Amino acid sequence: MVENRYSKVLVVEDERKISNFIKRGLLDSGYSVDTAFTGEEALDKIHDEYNLIILDLMLPDMDGFDICAKIRRSKIQTPVLMLTARNSTEDKIKGLDIGADDYLTKPFAIGELLSRIKALLRRSPSIIDGIISVGDLTLNTKTYEVFRNGVQIELSQKEFSILEYLMVNEGVVLTRTMIEDHAWDYEFEGFSNVVDVYIRMLRKKIDDGYKEKIIKTVRGVGYKVKG
Ligand code: CA
């Protein structure tokens, strides 16, 4: 599935059998997967960019609760899906309280895990530490830097605003009116095809020279960023 191709998942689970089972399921669905077998290993890796963390509660060296709390304390907002063998409501509430986004009780079917993951990723588009990614295009909402395939792209403030709006709504068609309302204030009375003009400029900077185009026209409706 193309939609998952750029989502990177960290699986923190000490039981190799379960870890492999999850990994296989994720790879089959097109995710890229990294694994950690101890809490320490997980905390080392979490500085890398992941779109989602699957976190087992019972690890040999650390408690999943502690790991999750540490992640949140270091201001990492990556969604965390907790795996718990204990079917206790208390654990679930505790997990959600310290910043986990969802939990799943073992044993579980891989289909159930995949649909939970999908829901979590939908809830938070691939925004990690202020950086939105769509394919090889990244936009940093804090530094206002845009890169495609590692090459920096200079955008005007308007172009940035329109691109950010499209990327946050990856896969969703935005009409010209929506884009206009987003990027210009209500007093703006521009020429009627102003959005098209800006999209053309954006495309020139972002898509020119690339086989895979990021900005797509949806005929008669508007524009979207792939997805
Ligand atoms: Ca375990």
Side-chain angles (χ1 to χ4, degrees), residues 37-106:
F37 298 96
T38 63
E40 204 183 333
E41 208 185 324
L43 288 172
D44 274 353
K45 287 192 164 170
I46 281 163
H47 305 286
D48 280 338
E49 291 187 352
Y50 294 103
N51 299 94
L52 185 99
I53 299 163
I54 296 174
L55 180 60
D56 181 36
L57 204 51
M58 309 252 283
L59 294 162
D61 58 337
M62 244 180 254
D63 191 309
F65 292 129
D66 292 337
I67 297 173
C68 187
K70 278 200 177 105
I71 294 173
R72 292 301 180 240
R73 265 203 305 277
S74 21
K75 304 262 181 283
I76 295 167
Q77 300 304 326
T78 311
V80 172
L81 175 75
M82 269 193 174
L83 297 180
T84 164
R86 325 171 195 174
N87 195 3
S88 131
T89 315
E90 242 170 75
D91 276 352
K92 289 168 186 170
I93 293 170
K94 188 177 171 191
L96 297 176
D97 267 356
I98 57 171
D101 299 271
D102 199 3
Y103 58 82
L104 198 54
T105 308
K106 289 185 203 170

Side-chain angles (χ1 to χ4, degrees), residues 45-212:
K45 287 192 164 170
I46 281 163
H47 305 286
D48 280 338
E49 291 187 352
Y50 294 103
N51 299 94
L52 185 99
I53 299 163
I54 296 174
L55 180 60
D56 181 36
L57 204 51
M58 309 252 283
L59 294 162
D61 58 337
M62 244 180 254
D63 191 309
F65 292 129
D66 292 337
I67 297 173
C68 187
K70 278 200 177 105
I71 294 173
R72 292 301 180 240
R73 265 203 305 277
S74 21
K75 304 262 181 283
I76 295 167
Q77 300 304 326
T78 311
V80 172
L81 175 75
M82 269 193 174
L83 297 180
T84 164
R86 325 171 195 174
N87 195 3
S88 131
T89 315
E90 242 170 75
D91 276 352
K92 289 168 186 170
I93 293 170
K94 188 177 171 191
L96 297 176
D97 267 356
I98 57 171
D101 299 271
D102 199 3
Y103 58 82
L104 198 54
T105 308
K106 289 185 203 170
F108 52 83
I110 196 72
E112 165 89 39
L113 178 69
L114 291 171
S115 65
R116 298 287 187 98
I117 291 174
K118 226 174 174 177
L120 283 173
L121 290 175
R122 210 168 23 229
R123 213 191 292 169
S124 62
S126 339
I127 303 174
I128 297 169
D129 200 24
I131 298 171
I132 312 171
S133 318
V134 173
D136 57 4
L137 180 71
T138 60
L139 177 145
N140 190 321
T141 58
K142 292 176 179 167
T143 62
Y144 295 94
E145 287 171 320
V146 176
F147 289 90
R148 176 144 193 202
N149 196 22
V151 181
Q152 187 159 9
I153 298 164
E154 298 292 338
L155 295 183
S156 72
Q157 200 191 334
K158 265 317 169 231
E159 290 166 345
F160 184 91
S161 165
I162 293 170
L163 184 63
E164 181 185 22
Y165 187 46
L166 283 164
M167 287 175 80
V168 166
N169 292 289
E170 185 185 350
V172 178
V173 184
L174 303 177
T175 65
R176 287 173 180 79
T177 314
M178 286 164 80
I179 296 171
E180 207 175 295
D181 287 348
H182 174 86
W184 285 272
D185 63 48
Y186 64 96
E187 282 175 296
F188 173 76
E189 283 180 36
F191 42 106
S192 60
N193 64 340
V194 64
V195 171
D196 299 311
V197 170
Y198 271 90
I199 292 284
R200 205 174 308 138
M201 293 193 288
L202 268 174
R203 277 185 162 144
K204 206 167 191 169
K205 294 181 176 182
I206 284 160
D207 280 335
D208 259 17
Y210 289 95
K211 205 169 149 237
E212 194 167 6

Side-chain angles (χ1 to χ4, degrees), residues 13-44:
E13 166 64 81
D14 59 310
E15 285 161 77
R16 302 265 163 177
K17 231 176 111 184
I18 300 177
S19 173
N20 286 335
F21 166 72
I22 297 173
K23 187 177 177 179
R24 210 171 41 234
L26 290 173
L27 289 174
D28 284 349
S29 293
Y31 293 97
S32 62
V33 184
D34 213 347
T35 49
F37 298 96
T38 63
E40 204 183 333
E41 208 185 324
L43 288 172
D44 274 353

